[in-house]
CSV table of all heavy atoms in Angstrom, one decimal:
chain,number,residue,atom,x,y,z
A,5,PHE,N,11.0,-15.8,-5.3
A,5,PHE,CA,10.8,-14.3,-5.2
A,5,PHE,C,12.1,-13.7,-4.7
A,5,PHE,O,12.8,-14.3,-3.9
A,5,PHE,CB,9.7,-14.0,-4.2
A,5,PHE,CG,8.3,-14.3,-4.8
A,5,PHE,CD1,7.8,-15.6,-4.7
A,5,PHE,CD2,7.6,-13.3,-5.4
A,5,PHE,CE1,6.5,-15.8,-5.2
A,5,PHE,CE2,6.3,-13.6,-5.9
A,5,PHE,CZ,5.8,-14.8,-5.8
A,6,PRO,N,12.5,-12.5,-5.2
A,6,PRO,CA,13.7,-11.9,-4.7
A,6,PRO,C,13.4,-11.4,-3.3
A,6,PRO,O,12.3,-11.4,-2.8
A,6,PRO,CB,13.8,-10.6,-5.6
A,6,PRO,CG,12.4,-10.4,-6.2
A,6,PRO,CD,11.8,-11.8,-6.3
A,7,PRO,N,14.5,-11.1,-2.5
A,7,PRO,CA,14.3,-10.7,-1.1
A,7,PRO,C,13.4,-9.5,-1.1
A,7,PRO,O,13.5,-8.6,-1.9
A,7,PRO,CB,15.8,-10.4,-0.7
A,7,PRO,CG,16.6,-11.2,-1.6
A,7,PRO,CD,15.9,-11.2,-2.9
A,8,VAL,N,12.6,-9.5,0.0
A,8,VAL,CA,11.7,-8.3,0.2
A,8,VAL,C,12.4,-7.2,1.0
A,8,VAL,O,12.9,-7.5,2.0
A,8,VAL,CB,10.4,-8.8,0.9
A,8,VAL,CG1,9.5,-7.6,1.3
A,8,VAL,CG2,9.6,-9.8,0.1
A,9,GLU,N,12.4,-6.1,0.4
A,9,GLU,CA,13.0,-4.9,1.1
A,9,GLU,C,11.9,-4.3,2.1
A,9,GLU,O,10.8,-4.2,1.7
A,9,GLU,CB,13.4,-3.8,0.1
A,9,GLU,CG,14.1,-2.7,0.7
A,9,GLU,CD,14.5,-1.7,-0.4
A,9,GLU,OE1,14.5,-2.0,-1.6
A,9,GLU,OE2,14.9,-0.5,0.0
A,10,ALA,N,12.3,-4.1,3.3
A,10,ALA,CA,11.4,-3.6,4.3
A,10,ALA,C,11.0,-2.2,4.0
A,10,ALA,O,11.7,-1.4,3.3
A,10,ALA,CB,12.1,-3.6,5.7
A,11,PRO,N,9.8,-1.8,4.4
A,11,PRO,CA,9.4,-0.3,4.3
A,11,PRO,C,10.4,0.5,5.0
A,11,PRO,O,11.2,0.1,5.9
A,11,PRO,CB,8.1,-0.3,5.1
A,11,PRO,CG,7.5,-1.7,5.0
A,11,PRO,CD,8.7,-2.6,5.0
A,12,SER,N,10.5,1.8,4.6
A,12,SER,CA,11.5,2.7,5.0
A,12,SER,C,11.4,3.1,6.5
A,12,SER,O,10.4,3.7,6.9
A,12,SER,CB,11.5,4.0,4.2
A,12,SER,OG,12.3,5.0,4.7
A,16,ARG,N,9.4,6.3,8.4
A,16,ARG,CA,8.5,6.0,9.5
A,16,ARG,C,8.9,7.0,10.7
A,16,ARG,O,8.0,7.5,11.3
A,16,ARG,CB,8.6,4.6,10.0
A,16,ARG,CG,7.6,4.2,11.0
A,16,ARG,CD,7.9,2.8,11.6
A,16,ARG,NE,8.0,1.8,10.6
A,16,ARG,CZ,7.0,1.1,10.1
A,16,ARG,NH1,5.7,1.3,10.6
A,16,ARG,NH2,7.1,0.2,9.2
A,42,TRP,N,2.8,3.9,8.9
A,42,TRP,CA,3.0,2.7,8.0
A,42,TRP,C,2.9,3.1,6.5
A,42,TRP,O,3.8,2.7,5.7
A,42,TRP,CB,1.9,1.7,8.3
A,42,TRP,CG,1.9,0.5,7.4
A,42,TRP,CD1,2.8,-0.5,7.3
A,42,TRP,CD2,1.0,0.3,6.3
A,42,TRP,NE1,2.5,-1.4,6.3
A,42,TRP,CE2,1.4,-0.9,5.7
A,42,TRP,CE3,-0.2,0.9,5.9
A,42,TRP,CZ2,0.7,-1.5,4.6
A,42,TRP,CZ3,-0.9,0.4,4.8
A,42,TRP,CH2,-0.4,-0.8,4.2
A,45,ALA,N,6.1,4.9,5.6
A,45,ALA,CA,7.2,4.0,5.5
A,45,ALA,C,7.1,3.2,4.2
A,45,ALA,O,8.1,3.0,3.5
A,45,ALA,CB,7.2,3.0,6.7
A,46,CYS,N,5.9,2.8,3.8
A,46,CYS,CA,5.7,2.1,2.5
A,46,CYS,C,6.1,2.9,1.3
A,46,CYS,O,6.7,2.5,0.3
A,46,CYS,CB,4.3,1.6,2.4
A,46,CYS,SG,3.8,0.2,3.5
A,242,ALA,N,-1.7,-15.7,-3.4
A,242,ALA,CA,-0.5,-15.8,-2.6
A,242,ALA,C,0.7,-15.1,-3.4
A,242,ALA,O,1.5,-14.3,-2.9
A,242,ALA,CB,-0.1,-17.2,-2.3
A,244,PHE,N,0.2,-12.9,-5.7
A,244,PHE,CA,-0.1,-11.5,-5.8
A,244,PHE,C,0.4,-10.7,-4.6
A,244,PHE,O,1.0,-9.7,-4.6
A,244,PHE,CB,-1.6,-11.4,-5.9
A,244,PHE,CG,-2.2,-10.0,-5.9
A,244,PHE,CD1,-2.4,-9.3,-7.1
A,244,PHE,CD2,-2.6,-9.4,-4.7
A,244,PHE,CE1,-3.0,-8.0,-7.1
A,244,PHE,CE2,-3.2,-8.1,-4.7
A,244,PHE,CZ,-3.4,-7.5,-5.9
A,245,LEU,N,0.1,-11.3,-3.4
A,245,LEU,CA,0.5,-10.6,-2.1
A,245,LEU,C,2.0,-10.6,-2.0
A,245,LEU,O,2.6,-9.6,-1.5
A,245,LEU,CB,-0.1,-11.3,-0.9
A,245,LEU,CG,-1.6,-11.2,-0.9
A,245,LEU,CD1,-2.2,-12.1,0.2
A,245,LEU,CD2,-2.1,-9.8,-0.7
A,246,ALA,N,2.7,-11.7,-2.4
A,246,ALA,CA,4.2,-11.7,-2.3
A,246,ALA,C,4.8,-10.7,-3.3
A,246,ALA,O,5.7,-9.9,-2.9
A,246,ALA,CB,4.7,-13.1,-2.6
A,247,GLN,N,4.3,-10.6,-4.5
A,247,GLN,CA,4.8,-9.7,-5.5
A,247,GLN,C,4.5,-8.3,-5.2
A,247,GLN,O,5.3,-7.4,-5.5
A,247,GLN,CB,4.3,-10.1,-6.9
A,247,GLN,CG,4.9,-9.3,-8.0
A,247,GLN,CD,6.3,-9.5,-8.3
A,247,GLN,OE1,6.9,-10.4,-7.6
A,247,GLN,NE2,6.9,-8.8,-9.2
A,248,ALA,N,3.4,-8.0,-4.5
A,248,ALA,CA,3.1,-6.6,-4.1
A,248,ALA,C,4.2,-6.1,-3.2
A,248,ALA,O,4.6,-5.0,-3.3
A,248,ALA,CB,1.7,-6.5,-3.4
A,249,ALA,N,4.6,-7.0,-2.3
A,249,ALA,CA,5.7,-6.6,-1.3
A,249,ALA,C,7.0,-6.4,-2.1
A,249,ALA,O,7.8,-5.4,-1.8
A,249,ALA,CB,5.9,-7.7,-0.3
A,250,VAL,N,7.3,-7.3,-3.1
A,250,VAL,CA,8.5,-7.1,-3.9
A,250,VAL,C,8.5,-5.8,-4.6
A,250,VAL,O,9.5,-5.1,-4.7
A,250,VAL,CB,8.6,-8.3,-4.9
A,250,VAL,CG1,9.7,-8.0,-5.9
A,250,VAL,CG2,8.9,-9.6,-4.1
A,251,ARG,N,7.3,-5.4,-5.1
A,251,ARG,CA,7.1,-4.1,-5.8
A,251,ARG,C,6.9,-2.9,-4.9
A,251,ARG,O,6.6,-1.8,-5.3
A,251,ARG,CB,6.0,-4.2,-6.8
A,251,ARG,CG,6.2,-5.2,-7.9
A,251,ARG,CD,7.3,-4.8,-8.9
A,251,ARG,NE,7.2,-3.5,-9.4
A,251,ARG,CZ,6.6,-3.2,-10.6
A,251,ARG,NH1,6.1,-4.2,-11.3
A,251,ARG,NH2,6.5,-2.0,-11.1
A,252,ARG,N,7.1,-3.1,-3.6
A,252,ARG,CA,7.0,-2.0,-2.6
A,252,ARG,C,5.6,-1.3,-2.7
A,252,ARG,O,5.5,-0.1,-2.6
A,252,ARG,CB,8.1,-1.0,-2.8
A,252,ARG,CG,9.5,-1.7,-2.6
A,252,ARG,CD,10.6,-0.7,-2.8
A,252,ARG,NE,10.5,0.4,-1.9
A,252,ARG,CZ,10.9,0.4,-0.6
A,252,ARG,NH1,11.5,-0.7,-0.1
A,252,ARG,NH2,10.8,1.4,0.2
A,253,THR,N,4.5,-2.1,-2.8
A,253,THR,CA,3.2,-1.5,-2.9
A,253,THR,C,2.4,-2.0,-1.7
A,253,THR,O,2.2,-3.2,-1.5
A,253,THR,CB,2.5,-2.0,-4.2
A,253,THR,OG1,3.4,-1.6,-5.3
A,253,THR,CG2,1.2,-1.4,-4.4
A,254,PRO,N,1.8,-1.1,-0.9
A,254,PRO,CA,1.0,-1.5,0.2
A,254,PRO,C,-0.3,-2.2,-0.1
A,254,PRO,O,-0.9,-1.9,-1.2
A,254,PRO,CB,0.7,-0.1,0.9
A,254,PRO,CG,0.8,0.9,-0.1
A,254,PRO,CD,1.9,0.4,-1.1
A,255,VAL,N,-0.7,-3.1,0.7
A,255,VAL,CA,-1.9,-3.9,0.5
A,255,VAL,C,-2.8,-3.9,1.8
A,255,VAL,O,-2.3,-3.9,2.9
A,255,VAL,CB,-1.5,-5.4,0.2
A,255,VAL,CG1,-2.7,-6.3,0.2
A,255,VAL,CG2,-0.7,-5.5,-1.1
A,257,LEU,N,-5.4,-6.2,3.5
A,257,LEU,CA,-5.9,-7.6,3.5
A,257,LEU,C,-7.3,-7.6,3.8
A,257,LEU,O,-7.8,-6.9,4.7
A,257,LEU,CB,-5.1,-8.5,4.5
A,257,LEU,CG,-3.6,-8.7,4.2
A,257,LEU,CD1,-3.0,-9.6,5.3
A,257,LEU,CD2,-3.4,-9.3,2.8
A,265,ALA,N,-4.1,-16.9,1.9
A,265,ALA,CA,-3.1,-16.6,0.9
A,265,ALA,C,-2.0,-15.8,1.5
A,265,ALA,O,-0.8,-16.0,1.1
A,265,ALA,CB,-3.8,-15.8,-0.2
A,266,ALA,N,-2.2,-14.9,2.4
A,266,ALA,CA,-1.2,-14.1,3.0
A,266,ALA,C,-0.2,-15.0,3.8
A,266,ALA,O,1.0,-14.8,3.8
A,266,ALA,CB,-1.8,-13.1,4.0
A,267,VAL,N,-0.7,-16.0,4.5
A,267,VAL,CA,0.1,-16.9,5.3
A,267,VAL,C,1.1,-17.6,4.3
A,267,VAL,O,2.3,-17.8,4.6
A,267,VAL,CB,-0.7,-17.9,6.1
A,267,VAL,CG1,0.2,-19.0,6.7
A,267,VAL,CG2,-1.4,-17.2,7.2
A,268,LEU,N,0.6,-18.0,3.2
A,268,LEU,CA,1.4,-18.7,2.2
A,268,LEU,C,2.4,-17.7,1.5
A,268,LEU,O,3.5,-18.1,1.2
A,268,LEU,CB,0.5,-19.4,1.1
A,268,LEU,CG,0.1,-20.8,1.3
A,268,LEU,CD1,1.4,-21.7,1.3
A,268,LEU,CD2,-0.6,-21.0,2.6
A,269,ALA,N,1.9,-16.5,1.3
A,269,ALA,CA,2.8,-15.5,0.7
A,269,ALA,C,4.0,-15.2,1.5
A,269,ALA,O,5.1,-14.9,1.0
A,269,ALA,CB,2.0,-14.2,0.4
A,270,GLU,N,3.8,-15.1,2.8
A,270,GLU,CA,4.9,-14.9,3.8
A,270,GLU,C,5.9,-16.0,3.7
A,270,GLU,O,7.1,-15.8,3.9
A,270,GLU,CB,4.3,-14.7,5.2
A,270,GLU,CG,5.4,-14.5,6.3
A,270,GLU,CD,6.2,-13.2,6.1
A,270,GLU,OE1,5.8,-12.3,5.4
A,270,GLU,OE2,7.3,-13.1,6.7
A,271,GLU,N,5.4,-17.2,3.4
A,271,GLU,CA,6.3,-18.4,3.3
A,271,GLU,C,7.1,-18.2,2.0
A,271,GLU,O,8.3,-18.5,1.9
A,271,GLU,CB,5.5,-19.7,3.3
A,271,GLU,CG,4.8,-20.0,4.5
A,271,GLU,CD,5.8,-20.5,5.6
A,271,GLU,OE1,6.7,-21.2,5.3
A,271,GLU,OE2,5.6,-20.0,6.8
A,272,LEU,N,6.4,-17.7,0.9
A,272,LEU,CA,7.1,-17.6,-0.4
A,272,LEU,C,8.1,-16.4,-0.4
A,272,LEU,O,9.1,-16.5,-1.0
A,272,LEU,CB,6.0,-17.3,-1.5
A,272,LEU,CG,5.1,-18.5,-1.8
A,272,LEU,CD1,3.9,-18.0,-2.7
A,272,LEU,CD2,5.9,-19.6,-2.6
A,273,ALA,N,7.7,-15.3,0.3
A,273,ALA,CA,8.6,-14.1,0.3
A,273,ALA,C,8.6,-13.6,1.7
A,273,ALA,O,7.9,-12.7,2.1
A,273,ALA,CB,8.0,-13.1,-0.6
A,274,PRO,N,9.5,-14.1,2.6
A,274,PRO,CA,9.6,-13.7,4.0
A,274,PRO,C,9.8,-12.2,4.1
A,274,PRO,O,10.6,-11.6,3.4
A,274,PRO,CB,10.8,-14.4,4.5
A,274,PRO,CG,10.9,-15.7,3.6
A,274,PRO,CD,10.5,-15.2,2.3
A,275,GLY,N,9.0,-11.6,5.0
A,275,GLY,CA,9.1,-10.1,5.2
A,275,GLY,C,7.9,-9.4,4.4
A,275,GLY,O,7.7,-8.2,4.6
A,276,ALA,N,7.2,-10.2,3.6
A,276,ALA,CA,6.1,-9.5,2.8
A,276,ALA,C,5.1,-8.9,3.7
A,276,ALA,O,4.5,-7.9,3.4
A,276,ALA,CB,5.5,-10.5,1.9
A,277,ARG,N,4.8,-9.5,4.9
A,277,ARG,CA,3.8,-9.0,5.8
A,277,ARG,C,4.0,-7.6,6.2
A,277,ARG,O,3.0,-6.9,6.6
A,277,ARG,CB,3.7,-9.9,7.0
A,277,ARG,CG,4.9,-10.0,7.8
A,277,ARG,CD,4.7,-11.0,8.9
A,277,ARG,NE,5.9,-11.3,9.6
A,277,ARG,CZ,6.1,-12.3,10.6
A,277,ARG,NH1,5.0,-12.9,11.0
A,277,ARG,NH2,7.2,-12.5,11.2
A,278,GLU,N,5.2,-7.1,6.2
A,278,GLU,CA,5.4,-5.7,6.5
A,278,GLU,C,4.7,-4.7,5.6
A,278,GLU,O,4.6,-3.5,5.9
A,278,GLU,CB,6.9,-5.4,6.7
A,278,GLU,CG,7.6,-6.2,7.8
A,278,GLU,CD,9.0,-5.7,8.0
A,278,GLU,OE1,9.2,-4.5,8.1
A,278,GLU,OE2,9.9,-6.5,8.0
A,279,TRP,N,4.4,-5.2,4.4
A,279,TRP,CA,3.7,-4.3,3.4
A,279,TRP,C,2.2,-4.5,3.4
A,279,TRP,O,1.5,-3.9,2.6
A,279,TRP,CB,4.3,-4.7,2.0
A,279,TRP,CG,5.7,-4.3,1.9
A,279,TRP,CD1,6.8,-5.1,2.2
A,279,TRP,CD2,6.2,-3.1,1.5
A,279,TRP,NE1,7.9,-4.4,2.0
A,279,TRP,CE2,7.6,-3.1,1.5
A,279,TRP,CE3,5.6,-1.9,1.0
A,279,TRP,CZ2,8.4,-2.1,1.2
A,279,TRP,CZ3,6.4,-0.8,0.7
A,279,TRP,CH2,7.8,-0.9,0.8
A,280,TRP,N,1.7,-5.2,4.4
A,280,TRP,CA,0.2,-5.4,4.5
A,280,TRP,C,-0.3,-4.8,5.8
A,280,TRP,O,0.4,-4.8,6.8
A,280,TRP,CB,-0.1,-6.9,4.5
A,280,TRP,CG,0.5,-7.7,3.4
A,280,TRP,CD1,0.9,-7.3,2.2
A,280,TRP,CD2,1.0,-9.1,3.6
A,280,TRP,NE1,1.5,-8.4,1.5
A,280,TRP,CE2,1.5,-9.5,2.3
A,280,TRP,CE3,0.9,-10.0,4.6
A,280,TRP,CZ2,2.0,-10.8,2.1
A,280,TRP,CZ3,1.3,-11.3,4.4
A,280,TRP,CH2,1.9,-11.7,3.2
A,281,VAL,N,-1.6,-4.4,5.7
A,281,VAL,CA,-2.3,-4.0,6.9
A,281,VAL,C,-3.6,-4.9,6.9
A,281,VAL,O,-4.2,-5.1,5.8
A,281,VAL,CB,-2.6,-2.5,7.0
A,281,VAL,CG1,-3.5,-2.0,5.9
A,281,VAL,CG2,-3.2,-2.2,8.3
A,297,HIS,N,-0.8,-15.4,13.4
A,297,HIS,CA,0.4,-16.0,12.9
A,297,HIS,C,1.2,-14.9,12.2
A,297,HIS,O,2.5,-15.0,12.2
A,297,HIS,CB,0.0,-17.1,11.9
A,297,HIS,CG,1.1,-17.8,11.3
A,297,HIS,ND1,1.9,-18.8,11.9
A,297,HIS,CD2,1.7,-17.8,10.0
A,297,HIS,CE1,2.8,-19.3,11.1
A,297,HIS,NE2,2.7,-18.7,10.0
A,298,LEU,N,0.6,-14.0,11.5
A,298,LEU,CA,1.3,-12.9,10.8
A,298,LEU,C,1.6,-11.7,11.7
A,298,LEU,O,2.4,-10.8,11.2
A,298,LEU,CB,0.4,-12.5,9.6
A,298,LEU,CG,0.2,-13.5,8.5
A,298,LEU,CD1,-0.9,-13.0,7.6
A,298,LEU,CD2,1.4,-13.8,7.7
A,299,GLY,N,1.1,-11.7,12.9
A,299,GLY,CA,1.4,-10.6,13.8
A,299,GLY,C,0.7,-9.3,13.3
A,299,GLY,O,1.2,-8.2,13.5
A,300,LEU,N,-0.5,-9.4,12.8
A,300,LEU,CA,-1.2,-8.2,12.3
A,300,LEU,C,-2.5,-8.0,13.1
A,300,LEU,O,-3.2,-8.9,13.4
A,300,LEU,CB,-1.7,-8.5,10.8
A,300,LEU,CG,-0.5,-8.6,9.8
A,300,LEU,CD1,-1.1,-9.0,8.4
A,300,LEU,CD2,0.3,-7.4,9.7
Side-chain angles (χ1 to χ4, degrees):
F5 287 85
V8 173
E9 187 178 344
S12 170
R16 188 191 304 272
W42 172 75
C46 290
F244 177 90
L245 294 172
Q247 185 67 6
V250 170
R251 293 295 303 268
R252 302 180 57 82
T253 303
V255 172
L257 295 180
V267 169
L268 267 297
E270 177 65 18
E271 295 287 318
L272 290 167
R277 61 184 168 185
E278 294 189 50
W279 292 90
W280 311 328
V281 66
H297 183 76
L298 293 168
L300 298 175

